[in-house]
């Protein structure tokens, strides 16, 4: 594209990084940030006037699940690499990190090649992967090195969920191998036995409704698993990143280990900051929207999570974007029934027979919710505008800290000369009412339907190319690039 070669200067904006805000011009050359300063001379460059706008490093979402076949029913999340990354771009996110989850008949590297090919032809922004450490045997332990060399320097460890979870002895062997290669464990911490026991107990007395979902995923089980993974990691002296922290009890555990010198960090999702378990007390066809693990919790938990974000105990705000359409949530389809195209068109997909009795019992509902497009606006409105977060903290937890944690800094997450020109021009006065009908996520609901937020990305650049302007998508499928990430466990300690 011409824009990759033509110099571009963004004038008069308020630049925001994780450490400071300052009015300056920003010059882009060959897709990279070339210079920052007042009154930059750039003869022949294209110009953008950013007066009144915030100019920030593009958002980085390190926890998304695009076209993900979930669980034994293999229900496929409704955003593919095209629709999901287009939605991300509209919301100011210019890098995503998704997951590779090998099937039993695949090696990890084979599964990685498949995911890479899916993304390469479709993604409109840059992307990377975590590897799911879904088995511990000679083959998988022997593959860690090649996986790290392929640019996957973080591994997801599930402590719950049949088929992918590891037992404690497996976790110890996995951590030992990750330490050898400097890779970072990203942990889904819940007590598996407790979930299974409580589910069986509720099902046995006829509790099938979605309102029982949070009852089988108690905060105590999340806190116990967090305590256990940190105990094991402390023995091996390896840092740990806790995925989607949802409860105050978990924060207490993290604080205690951190006070004892254990490097532990964690991420939080907008839904756990902003929504509560009261949403489950609705008819099932509505309540299915909020089935996710960990579940939504109390208002006191919301407040504790905000506090942890302010103090830096939690350092990343990510989405766990894992959308399913209402038909999928209700067990009427395995794949989405429509596909929103970047030009605004909608493709209708093949009819499908229902895959199970529906409505589904709470433990059969596909887990996850959409959020890839609404992360920055929600966090700006409810974080910055309420005074909970400063502008620099906003950039820190949506971009810079994520880049540091996962080995992408300073190429991503910074405004330093030499960094990729992934930028968001954010209009702090633009008000939007969120609705599934106007968002670009390939889903027929949003958990934030009807919420009004002030502050929205009006222009988004990826490697110097304008990919979204005033709500219009200008990129093209397949322009996104795979990002190799460096093993960075030591840096992850900071
Ligand atoms: Mn997830």
């Amino acid at each position: 594209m011409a824009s990759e070669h033509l110099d571009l200067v963004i004038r008069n904006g308020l630049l925001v990084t994780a450490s400071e805000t300052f009015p300056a011009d920003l010059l882009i050359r060959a897709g990279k940030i070339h210079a920052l300063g007042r009154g930059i001379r750039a003869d022949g460059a294209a110009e953008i006037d950013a007066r009144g706008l915030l100019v920030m490093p593009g958002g980085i979402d390190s926890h998304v699940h695009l076209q993900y076949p979930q669980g034994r029913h293999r229900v496929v999340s409704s955003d593919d690499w095209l629709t999901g990354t287009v939605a991300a771009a509209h919301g100011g996110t210019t890098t995503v990190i998704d997951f590779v989850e090998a099937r039993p008949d695949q090696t990890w590297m084979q599964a990685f090649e498949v995911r890479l090919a899916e993304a390469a032809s479709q993604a409109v922004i840059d992307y990377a992967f975590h590897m799911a450490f879904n088995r511990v045997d000679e083959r998988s332990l022997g593959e860690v090195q090649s996986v790290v060399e392929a640019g996957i320097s973080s591994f997801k460890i599930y402590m719950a969920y049949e088929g992918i979870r590891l037992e404690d002895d497996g976790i110890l062997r996995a951590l030992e191998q990750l330490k050898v290669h400097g890779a970072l464990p990203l942990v889904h911490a819940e007590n598996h036995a407790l979930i299974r026991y409580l589910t069986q107990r509720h099902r046995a007395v006829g509790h099938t409704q979605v309102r029982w979902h949070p009852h089988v995923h108690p905060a105590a089980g999340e806190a116990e698993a967090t305590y256990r993974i940190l105990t094991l990691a402390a023995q091996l002296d390896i840092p740990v990143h806790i995925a989607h922290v949802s409860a105050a009890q978990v924060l207490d555990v993290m604080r205690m280990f951190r006070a004892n010198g254990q490097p532990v960090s964690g991420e939080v999702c907008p839904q756990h900051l902003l929504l509560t378990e009261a949403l489950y007390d609705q008819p099932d066809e509505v309540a299915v929207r909020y089935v996710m693990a960990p579940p939504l919790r109390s208002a006191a938990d919301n407040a504790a999570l905000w506090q942890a974000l302010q103090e830096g105990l939690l350092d990343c705000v990510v989405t766990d974007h894992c959308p399913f359409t209402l038909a999928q949530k209700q067990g009427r389809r395995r794949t989405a029934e429509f596909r929103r195209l970047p030009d605004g068109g909608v493709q209708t997909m093949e009819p499908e027979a229902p895959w199970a009795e529906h409505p589904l019992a709470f433990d059969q509902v596909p887990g996850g919710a959409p959020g890839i497009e609404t992360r920055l606006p929600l966090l700006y409105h409810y974080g910055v505008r309420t005074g909970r977060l400063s502008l620099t903290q906003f950039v820190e937890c949506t971009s810079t800290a994520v880049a540091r944690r996962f080995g992408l800094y300073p190429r991503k997450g910074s405004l330093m000369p030499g960094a990729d020109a992934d930028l968001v021009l954010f209009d702090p006065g633009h008000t939007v009412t969120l609705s599934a009908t106007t968002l670009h996520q390939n889903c027929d609901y949003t958990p934030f339907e009807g919420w009004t937020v002030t502050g929205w990305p009006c222009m988004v650049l990826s490697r110097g190319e304008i990919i979204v302007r005033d709500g219009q998508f200008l990129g093209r499928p397949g322009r996104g690039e795979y990002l190799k990430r460096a093993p960075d466990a030591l840096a992850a300690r900071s």
Side-chain angles (χ1 to χ4, degrees):
M1 295 284 286
S3 55
E4 287 170 11
H5 305 291
L6 189 68
D7 286 359
L8 180 63
V9 62
I10 298 172
R11 292 211 187 273
N12 308 317
L14 182 67
L15 274 52
V16 186
T17 70
S19 54
E20 54 184 333
T21 63
F22 52 102
D25 302 337
L26 185 153
L27 176 64
I28 298 167
R29 179 167 294 166
K32 305 266 188 201
I33 294 171
H34 188 73
L36 315 174
R38 299 243 199 177
I40 286 183
R41 278 201 54 184
D43 297 335
E47 302 232 352
I48 292 169
D49 185 8
R51 195 174 300 275
L53 305 178
L54 310 175
V55 179
M56 315 181 295
I60 303 173
D61 191 343
S62 58
H63 194 149
V64 305
H65 300 274
L66 304 177
Q67 60 189 82
Y68 169 52
Q70 185 183 81
R72 70 189 160 88
H73 294 293
R74 300 192 75 75
V75 183
V76 181
S77 63
S78 59
D79 262 314
D80 59 28
W81 283 94
L82 177 59
T83 64
T85 55
V86 167
H90 278 283
T93 289
T94 51
T95 300
V96 289
I97 311 181
D98 204 307
F99 296 82
V100 177
E101 216 174 278
R103 296 189 312 255
D105 62 324
Q106 289 173 312
T107 67
W108 285 351
M109 286 301 288
Q110 284 167 345
F112 165 57
E113 294 298 336
V114 172
R115 289 295 273 166
L116 195 57
E118 286 172 359
S121 60
Q122 301 186 74
V124 306
I125 56 174
D126 293 350
Y127 53 91
F129 296 97
H130 311 283
M131 180 63 69
F133 214 127
N134 58 353
R135 55 190 176 224
V136 174
D137 52 30
E138 270 182 40
R139 183 178 61 162
S140 65
L141 293 170
E143 269 200 287
V144 169
Q145 181 167 356
S146 0
V147 169
V148 170
E149 283 168 1
I152 301 181
S153 55
S154 48
F155 287 68
K156 179 84 171 278
I157 292 176
Y158 287 89
M159 299 178 78
Y161 299 107
E162 218 62 76
I164 45 175
R165 79 192 178 98
L166 301 186
E167 305 268 12
D168 290 357
D169 49 2
I171 290 175
L172 284 165
R173 295 180 68 198
L175 293 179
E176 185 181 60
Q177 195 70 353
L178 294 182
K179 184 178 180 180
V180 168
H181 296 284
L184 180 70
L186 163 65
V187 180
H188 181 124
E190 279 191 286
N191 182 306
H192 179 75
L194 192 56
I195 295 168
R196 198 164 54 170
Y197 169 75
L198 292 172
T199 301
Q200 285 166 356
R201 205 177 70 175
H202 280 287
R203 293 293 303 268
V205 295
H207 291 166
T208 59
Q209 291 167 300
V210 171
R211 61 182 299 259
W212 298 106
H213 168 70
H215 294 258
V216 311
H217 293 266
E222 190 182 341
E224 181 280 328
T226 303
Y227 189 103
R228 184 154 36 98
I229 189 70
L230 292 177
T231 301
L232 303 184
Q235 291 298 314
L236 273 70
D237 190 26
I238 179 172
V240 171
H241 189 70
I242 307 291
H244 41 48
V245 174
S246 73
Q249 283 186 56
V250 177
L251 300 169
D252 293 341
V253 170
M254 290 174 66
R255 267 190 204 101
M256 185 179 72
F257 276 85
R258 184 177 271 196
N260 289 333
Q262 164 66 21
V264 54
S265 55
E267 64 188 34
V268 62
C269 306
Q271 58 270 32
H272 290 124
L273 289 167
L274 296 170
L275 304 176
T276 73
E277 60 202 348
L279 290 163
Y280 295 115
D281 291 322
Q282 300 185 78
D284 273 9
E285 63 269 24
V286 180
V288 286
R289 297 166 187 228
Y290 311 102
V291 172
M292 61 185 77
L296 304 175
R297 303 205 187 273
S298 69
D301 289 307
N302 296 158
L305 292 167
W306 279 113
Q307 167 64 33
L309 197 56
Q310 288 166 331
E311 73 183 64
L313 181 65
L314 301 175
D315 59 347
C316 302
V317 176
V318 302
T319 62
D320 199 6
H321 178 76
C322 191
F324 298 98
T325 66
L326 291 170
Q328 292 180 294
K329 282 286 203 183
Q330 293 161 3
R332 291 184 281 117
R333 290 185 61 99
R334 280 194 171 75
T335 57
E337 63 273 34
F338 57 86
R339 185 168 184 246
R340 292 177 177 166
L341 302 172
D343 65 3
V346 178
Q347 184 183 0
T348 304
M349 310 307 277
E350 296 283 305
E352 257 184 49
W355 56 269
E357 253 184 272
H358 57 90
L360 302 176
F362 69 83
D363 60 317
Q364 299 296 309
V365 176
I372 204 168
E373 191 172 357
T374 47
R375 180 177 66 127
L376 265 60
L378 285 169
L379 202 70
Y380 184 82
H381 185 91
Y382 292 97
V384 178
R385 284 178 60 88
T386 59
R388 287 166 168 140
L389 300 175
S390 66
L391 272 177
T392 55
Q393 284 175 312
F394 172 66
V395 168
E396 170 87 15
C397 65
T398 56
S399 180
T400 308
V402 190
R404 281 207 186 94
R405 186 66 58 212
F406 293 106
L408 291 168
Y409 188 85
R411 177 178 175 190
K412 304 293 190 188
S414 89
L415 295 182
M416 286 183 209
D420 284 352
D422 288 6
L423 300 168
V424 178
L425 276 56
F426 195 87
D427 182 349
H430 187 92
T431 296
V432 171
T433 298
L434 303 176
S435 167
T437 58
T438 46
L439 291 170
H440 303 79
Q441 299 169 150
N442 201 64
C443 198
D444 49 0
Y445 80 94
T446 161
F448 308 99
E449 184 71 38
W451 290 34
T452 295
V453 294
T454 297
W456 197 264
C458 57
M459 189 179 295
V460 180
L461 293 89
S462 167
R463 281 177 277 104
E465 185 181 339
I466 299 170
I467 57 169
V468 174
R469 177 161 42 197
D470 297 328
Q472 198 187 352
F473 180 72
L474 302 172
R476 64 187 188 284
R479 65 165 300 287
E481 288 180 2
Y482 171 62
L483 301 167
K484 285 183 83 164
R485 297 183 294 118
D488 210 15
L490 287 178
R493 287 163 179 269
S494 64

